[in-house]
Every structure is written in structure tokens, then in C-alpha cells.
Amino acid sequence: MQQLHSYLSGGWVFGQGQAREIHHAITGEPLYQVCSDGLPLAASLDYARNKGGRALAQMTFQQRAQMMKAVAKHLLAHKEALYEISYQTGATRSDGWVDIEGGIATLFAYAGMAGRELPDDTLWPEDEPISLSKQAQFAARHVLTSRPGVALHINAFNFPCWGMLEKLAPTWLAGMPAIIKPATATAQLTQAMVRLIIDSGLVPEGALQLVCGGIGDMFDHLDYQDAVTFTGSAQTGQRLRAHPRLLAKSIAFTMEADSLNCCVLGEDVTPQMPEFALFIKEVCREMTAKAGQKCTAIRRIIVPAKRVAEVQQALLQRLAGVTVGDPRLEQVRMGALVSREQRDDVQQKVEFLLHQGCEPLCGAALDKLELAGEGGQNGAFYPATLLYCADPFSHRAVHDTEAFGPVATLMPYHQTDQTDQAIELALLGQGSLVGSLVTADEALATRFIRATACAHGRMLILDRHAATESTGHGSPLPMLVHGGPGRAGGGEELGGLRAVRHYMQRTAIQGSPAMLAAIGREWVRGAAVVEDPVHPFRKYFEQLQLGESLLTARRTVTEADIVNFACLSGDHFYAHMDKIGAAESLFGERVAHGYFVVSAAAGLFVDPGVGPVIANYGMENLRFIEPVKIGDTLQVRLTCKKKIRKPQKTAEDRPHGVVVWDVQVLNQHQQAVALYSILTLVARQEGDRGQVN
């Protein structure tokens, strides 16, 4: 039998104790032995900090993003090898697609977000400077820096690839190395992906390590700069969270636990409406995808009492068409649970629910399960099981007990003037990763979401309009938070760049503008400027200095300017064009259009000739500070604030970077009338020396 090796301190190693066996989910045959006893687990923490951590910390956010993009491309090129192993875990091709390619897509997504939004630096200025004094020579800002620790990721069995990559993406972007501890039941798939990454040579040595088996005494060697994430059962997570070392060192701990997620059918929906069919389809998909082994799966189906019979009939009819069996077969829609141990656990939970006020509508019995394909008699198959609880307020077990498989419970709610029972039932879950509401009624949706958002990490409102592009109830997305309060663990993963901040240290830096500019490598107002006879728009990206500034010529605003701009733009707002109306306004007289001020400013600072500036890339944080009246004189201070080098996508692309310019539009009294930043694409003199990612 094969041994499933761990990757620690630069080598593939196997333990020396009692090994645990991993079995094929379909055939039940032994596949691998797993053991981590006697391995240098504590030493792997130091190896990560001193080897991988230092290498990652020296890379800029942009370099880390390019590394992740390259890893994602490499994994995508070898995905078929991963699908072959995925079948061993009982997953169908579509199940594997979510896990394997969904995880790879998360790497791509984070690389893209970083490429667009993060600096080409190792320090991340998180906000604009905050003035702390009248003369603006004492200021502060928040910055994010990499922590010289290691992230220990303890993952669940249901998504051995996605579960690893959705944590690795923000961890690596933050500049932290990671040690992955996959669930033993599906560790062979995680190990295969880690081996691909290690063999690619695309990540620094020590940035990624793998423990197949137990983590031994690793918690005892964690320090305050480290972080721990856990995905799995709430009971195990609570025990880990209370570890004395974590408490003593205030070690960051993020938990994402399974929850009894709900899907509610709105009172307004009738069987004739498209929303009814959408509800049935969504519930059945969530019950059977991954054989129900999803932390986001629908466990509680909450419907109006008057619709119970119709919903029951529609669900049973659709579930009857789900073919269970060998996941390699094209006609199979639901594979096996991950192991026979997991199947037995699901069966025990179902039997418990049946003794706690529920009745079976379908499934719930292994002896009636028909399988497609050969050799599945010893597999971990379980039928799609629909239960019914007639009184969900009296039988609280349906809100407390999760059978982690293709199992869900149908329950009714009544609508009265005194109470909204759908809201009450949703809240009885005591915290969920995700809840869904299917309705066509905006007022109903508003009332429901406002009342239940406090108990959910994510909420889907599904109607006929959203359905055409909806990713569904159970699909966490890289840009949205994945996590939830209460029973769901209280943790937070994904959520765009929010997740990166979890692995970094936020520090408030106080000092003079010059000091803040030097530390952040980003010019701030109040810091010294550098003036040069050569117009900054005549300089290539590499030639521009932070703080390089241009003070323009002046322009006096006339009545003709205002009238001409109104005719050109079609903006005849009374404050610009109606002398009487403007006199009665807060301005007291006619004023120039704000966008005329911005346009006039551009006319003052733009160099019109062909040069390194390729294009205007956008505008940020525009504020109109003072009104501009007829006869006022404008002048602009343009200053190079920030530079972001952009990698070439292809060898044919013109090498360039993004330059952020601070724009201060001043009047004749040197008062700011408008403040904003503009972004320009500026050509680089040199390309990426053949390094195209």
C-alpha cells in the first residue's frame, strides 16, 4: 500500500508510528497509509518562518501576485491528474470542478485583485493621511506590514483543493508562509496538488509545507506572530480555539464551522411562478452536490404552510431523478460520501432526527439504495434524504443537528399579524454561513434580510431576474466574505482583499508628512515637492520621482466659460445659469460647474504632445471644496503621488506602469477649490527582460 508523505523542511517524509488507512470511497479498498508520528513538526514552523517567510517578505505584492498567477496556470495545465484522484473521494466530475478548478480560479482572482489594487512594495498604506494638527505638519496613517510568522491551515475533508487554495491566496499575498494540514480522509488529493506546486519551483522554498496526519504538539510551538485557521466541526474548532498557547500568546485564530443553512420560500411565491421552480432546483442541487458534503449546503427548507404539499411533491419528483453511483459514469449525478465512517455518522444523525419529531419523505434507508455502475457495494454511498418536521418550533433538534450528507429537512411556517415565523425559524439556526430567500416581493425581501442578516455571513435573494446569472446558494466567491457568526464559527475568509489583512499587522504611524511619505513610499500632502523644468508628462515611468511636482500657469474664469460649458455638456443647473436662482442659493451668485473646474485643471496641467503618457486611467476621491465664481483665478499643483509598475501580459505589450497624481486646484487666495487624484498609464523604458507572466 502506498504511503502518503508529508512535505516538511524541504523534503518528503513519512512518520514512524501507527499508520491510518485511507479507503477508496467507491470500492472501499485501501489506498494509502498516513502517519506523521515522529516527524519534525516543531522544526517545520521555524523552517517556514526563517526560510519561506523571509523570502516572501522580500517580494512585493505585485511579485507575489505574479507568483500566484504562475502557480494557477501550472495547476490548470495538470488538472486532469487531479481529477483522477478526486474520483477516489467519491466526487463526480462537476463536484471535482468546483473543488479543483474553483480553487485555481480563486488563485487567479486574488492575483488579479492584487495586480489592480496593491502597491509594488512590501508595505501597504491602507488609508489616506489623517491630519492631526492645524498646520498639517503632524499627521498619521494606517499601514499594513507582513508578520514574520507562519499560517497553520487546518482544513476539512470536503474540499481538499479549494479549501487549501482559498486560504493560501490571501496568506501568500500577505507575505506569510503556510503549513497545510488537510483532513486525512481526502489528504491524497491535497498532497497531489502540493506536490505539483513544489515540483514547479514557482514558490520560494519554505513558503508551503504539508502535514499528512496529525499535527502533534505544533500548537505548543506557535508564537504571537503566527496565525491558525480551522475549517471543520464546531466541536473540534472550539477545542482548538481554547488551546492554552493560543490564549497565552493572543494568536490569531479563524474558524469556519459547518452550519444549518436555510433556504426560505417567500409567502408570495405560487407554483405557477418561475420562483417556485427556482426554489426546487436550488434545494435539490444543494442537497446532492458533493453528496451534500458542503458547509454551505441547505439543511433547513422553510416554506409557507400552505405550500408544503406542493413543495414536497416537487422535491420528491426531482430527487427521484438523481442517479447515484460510480462518479465516473456520465449519467451519475451524485457520488459517494468520503468514507464509510462518514456514511455511518450521517445515518446516526438521521436516525436521531427521526426520533426527534421528523418523519422520512425519501431516502433515510441504505437497503433501498440503487447504484449505477459496478463495484460500489462496499462504497460510502448514501441516498438523497428528505425529512419533514411538522412543528419546527417544538422540535429544536432540526436546528441543532446536522447530518453532513445529502440530507435536508422540510418545515412549515405560518404568517400571522403578530409574528413572522419565517424570520424566527431562520434565526433558530444560531448563526449560518449562508441563507437564501426565494421571492419576487421586494418589500418581503427587505423585511426578511434586515431581520436575519445579523445571523448570516452571506445571503442570497433569488428571483427570476437574478437567476439568469446567479452563482447559487452554495458558491462562496473570492470577492465575498465566506464565514458566519455563532454556530458557523465567527470567522471570516475570502472577502476580496479583506482576507489579506487578516494575515498582516495594521499599525498607525504618526509623524510629519515627510516621514509618512518616506515610510509609505507614497507622497502625501504637506511633504516637500521637487520641481523640474521638464514637464512630468515628458518623463518615462522610471524617470519620475515621488514628489515631483508642477505648478501651472493661471486661468481666470469668465461668464463665457460657464455658458459655453453648459451648452457643451447640457448641464443648465440653476446655480450656474439662473442669476436670480443662484442669488437665492447658498452660493449667493452664479458659480462654475464642478466638472468645468476639473476640465479647466486638465487644460492647465496636461502637456499635449506625444510622449510617455499613454492614457488617462481614471480619477479617485474627487471633492469640491470651495465654489468657483465668475472672476476667480485657477491654478493647479500636480504632484507624483504613487507609482505602480505593471508586468507585461505578452511580449508584444508596451511596458508601462500606473502613476497616481495628486491634483490640488487652487484659487487666487491659494485656497483649494477641488482635490482629487488622477491615474495615468505611463510607458516604461524597459520591458520585463523576457519575464512574461
Side-chain angles (χ1 to χ4, degrees):
M1 188 185 303
Q2 297 183 69
Q3 293 179 333
L4 204 62
H5 288 70
S6 299
Y7 185 76
L8 298 172
S9 301
W12 292 98
V13 291
F14 191 78
Q16 298 176 346
Q18 181 67 38
R20 178 180 168 184
E21 289 186 353
I22 296 177
H23 294 82
H24 199 296
I26 306 303
T27 66
E29 63 181 342
L31 288 173
Y32 300 94
Q33 287 185 330
V34 178
C35 181
S36 61
D37 295 347
L39 296 181
L41 299 176
S44 70
L45 293 169
D46 289 333
Y47 188 79
R49 299 183 189 112
N50 297 324
K51 189 82 171 176
R54 289 180 180 178
L56 286 171
Q58 292 173 2
M59 299 169 67
T60 69
F61 290 103
Q62 293 294 318
Q63 289 170 333
R64 295 169 199 159
Q66 288 304 302
M67 176 193 78
M68 288 164 46
K69 184 177 179 181
V71 168
K73 287 183 176 180
H74 180 74
L75 292 176
L76 201 58
H78 294 82
K79 65 181 182 180
E80 291 305 324
L82 297 173
Y83 276 112
E84 287 301 313
I85 300 173
S86 178
Y87 288 126
Q88 299 173 359
T89 70
T92 64
R93 178 80 184 193
S94 59
D95 294 336
W97 181 86
V98 174
D99 184 33
I100 297 167
E101 297 189 53
I104 296 170
T106 300
L107 273 185
F108 275 123
Y110 269 90
M113 284 186 278
R116 293 187 298 271
E117 301 181 45
L118 295 186
D120 190 18
D121 198 353
T122 58
L123 180 142
W124 180 0
E126 191 179 23
D127 53 16
E128 292 296 316
I130 304 162
S131 180
L132 301 175
S133 66
K134 292 183 179 179
Q135 301 301 318
Q137 285 305 302
F138 184 55
R141 77 183 315 178
H142 294 93
V143 300
L144 294 165
T145 54
S146 297
R147 293 178 2 208
V150 58
L152 174 59
H153 296 313
I154 303 171
N155 296 334
F157 70 78
N158 52 343
F159 287 99
C161 293
W162 179 88
M164 174 179 69
L165 295 178
E166 62 104 7
K167 294 179 181 180
L168 266 182
T171 302
W172 278 345
L173 264 187
M176 282 189 86
I179 297 176
I180 307 298
K181 192 285 177 202
T184 301
T186 53
Q188 73 269 35
L189 185 51
T190 306
Q191 197 246 32
M193 180 171 274
V194 168
R195 190 178 287 275
L196 283 171
I197 296 172
I198 297 300
D199 291 348
S200 74
L202 294 169
V203 301
E205 180 54 51
L208 176 62
Q209 296 182 81
L210 175 74
V211 179
C212 293
I215 58 171
D217 63 348
M218 287 184 74
F219 269 45
D220 294 329
H221 301 278
L222 294 171
D223 210 343
Y224 78 102
Q225 293 284 6
D226 299 326
V228 178
T229 71
F230 171 80
T231 303
S233 74
Q235 183 179 8
T236 303
Q238 295 292 355
R239 178 173 55 82
L240 294 177
R241 176 183 274 163
H243 192 281
R245 184 72 174 184
L246 269 61
L247 299 176
K249 293 289 186 176
S250 300
I251 295 170
F253 183 89
T254 299
M255 183 169 103
E256 188 260 279
D258 304 322
S259 56
L260 286 117
N261 311 293
C262 67
C263 186
V264 178
L265 183 66
E267 180 78 8
D268 62 302
V269 178
T270 67
Q272 293 73 38
M273 295 171 64
E275 283 74 15
F276 187 87
L278 290 172
F279 177 83
I280 300 300
K281 180 180 179 181
E282 196 71 19
V283 168
C284 291
R285 179 170 63 182
E286 288 300 308
M287 285 182 64
T288 57
K290 263 290 189 177
Q293 299 170 112
K294 294 172 59 180
C295 55
T296 54
I298 294 169
R299 304 299 181 195
R300 298 179 299 145
I301 310 164
I302 302 172
V303 304
K306 63 185 178 182
R307 300 287 177 224
V308 166
E310 294 153 315
V311 168
Q312 175 180 323
Q313 180 182 0
L315 287 175
L316 291 176
Q317 182 177 352
R318 191 173 185 94
L319 290 172
V322 175
T323 304
V324 182
D326 186 343
R328 292 176 179 271
L329 300 178
E330 186 177 351
Q331 71 269 28
V332 168
R333 292 293 173 265
M334 190 172 81
L337 299 184
V338 70
S339 66
R340 284 177 290 184
E341 291 81 6
Q342 181 63 25
R343 182 198 63 187
D344 293 343
D345 181 76
V346 170
Q347 183 65 49
Q348 290 173 9
K349 297 290 177 55
V350 168
E351 290 174 356
F352 175 77
L353 288 170
L354 292 176
H355 285 91
Q356 296 294 319
C358 292
E359 58 181 280
L361 298 179
C362 72
L366 293 174
D367 56 356
K368 298 181 181 179
L369 180 59
E370 295 183 5
L371 300 177
E374 301 294 331
Q377 295 78 9
N378 296 318
F381 293 99
Y382 196 83
T385 299
L386 182 65
L387 307 179
Y388 177 67
C389 181
D391 188 358
F393 287 101
S394 298
H395 300 102
R396 296 298 181 93
V398 294
H399 309 292
D400 295 326
T401 304
E402 181 182 27
F404 200 71
V407 181
T409 303
L410 177 65
M411 59 191 73
Y413 70 89
H414 299 270
Q415 201 71 28
T416 69
D417 294 335
Q418 289 76 32
T419 181
D420 193 329
Q421 290 191 347
I423 290 173
E424 289 186 38
L425 289 173
L427 294 175
L428 284 178
Q430 301 177 64
S432 298
L433 295 173
V434 58
S436 286
L437 171 68
V438 181
T439 181
D441 187 328
E442 293 179 0
L444 186 156
T446 300
R447 184 176 72 252
F448 183 86
I449 297 299
R450 285 174 174 261
T452 60
C454 61
H456 297 84
R458 177 169 57 87
M459 301 199 79
L460 168 68
I461 306 99
L462 188 60
D463 63 8
R464 68 195 73 181
H465 305 294
T468 57
E469 297 181 304
S470 172
T471 53
H473 167 99
S475 300
L477 298 173
M479 63 289 297
L480 301 180
V481 167
H482 178 53
R487 188 195 303 277
E492 189 175 283
E493 299 170 0
L494 299 178
L497 296 181
R498 291 181 186 86
V500 181
R501 294 181 173 96
H502 293 323
Y503 301 99
M504 305 193 75
Q505 178 59 46
R506 177 180 290 107
T507 306
I509 305 295
Q510 296 174 277
S512 68
M515 286 295 183
L516 297 185
I519 293 168
R521 294 178 184 170
E522 180 179 307
W523 183 86
V524 300
R525 289 174 191 152
V529 298
V530 178
E531 294 182 312
D532 191 311
V534 179
H535 194 288
F537 278 22
R538 309 304 304 171
K539 296 186 177 183
Y540 285 91
F541 182 85
E542 296 90 340
Q543 296 172 325
L544 284 166
Q545 303 177 56
L546 295 179
E548 189 162 339
S549 186
L550 170 71
L551 184 64
T552 70
R554 299 180 179 88
R555 170 176 177 166
T556 299
V557 178
T558 66
E559 181 181 17
D561 288 330
I562 296 174
V563 172
N564 288 335
F565 189 83
C567 293
L568 180 65
S569 65
D571 180 355
H572 295 276
F573 187 61
Y574 76 90
H576 312 309
M577 302 300 291
D578 184 342
K579 184 176 182 179
I580 297 174
E584 296 173 351
S585 72
L586 62 89
F587 304 116
E589 59 182 289
R590 292 166 65 192
V591 295
H593 305 70
Y595 293 111
F596 166 77
V597 174
V598 173
S599 299
L604 289 170
F605 67 68
V606 166
D607 183 285
V610 175
V613 175
I614 301 170
N616 184 339
Y617 191 53
M619 179 185 296
E620 296 177 339
N621 304 317
L622 172 61
R623 292 293 183 272
F624 297 116
I625 311 300
E626 294 288 339
V628 175
K629 301 176 180 180
I630 296 171
D632 283 352
T633 298
L634 303 179
Q635 189 176 31
V636 181
R637 166 72 73 179
L638 177 77
T639 308
C640 179
K641 177 180 179 180
K642 182 165 58 174
K643 296 166 59 179
I644 305 171
R645 182 182 178 278
K646 293 292 185 180
Q648 290 174 259
K649 293 183 178 180
T650 67
E652 291 73 29
D653 287 345
R654 186 178 183 184
H656 67 275
V658 175
V659 178
V660 182
W661 305 87
D662 179 79
V663 182
Q664 302 175 66
V665 186
L666 311 170
N667 63 16
Q668 64 272 22
H669 306 297
Q670 291 299 292
Q671 295 174 306
V673 300
L675 300 172
Y676 54 98
S677 297
I678 63 165
L679 291 75
T680 59
L681 299 181
V682 179
R684 290 192 276 121
Q685 288 177 300
E686 297 183 1
D688 288 343
R689 304 180 188 278
Q691 302 287 325
V692 179
N693 294 308

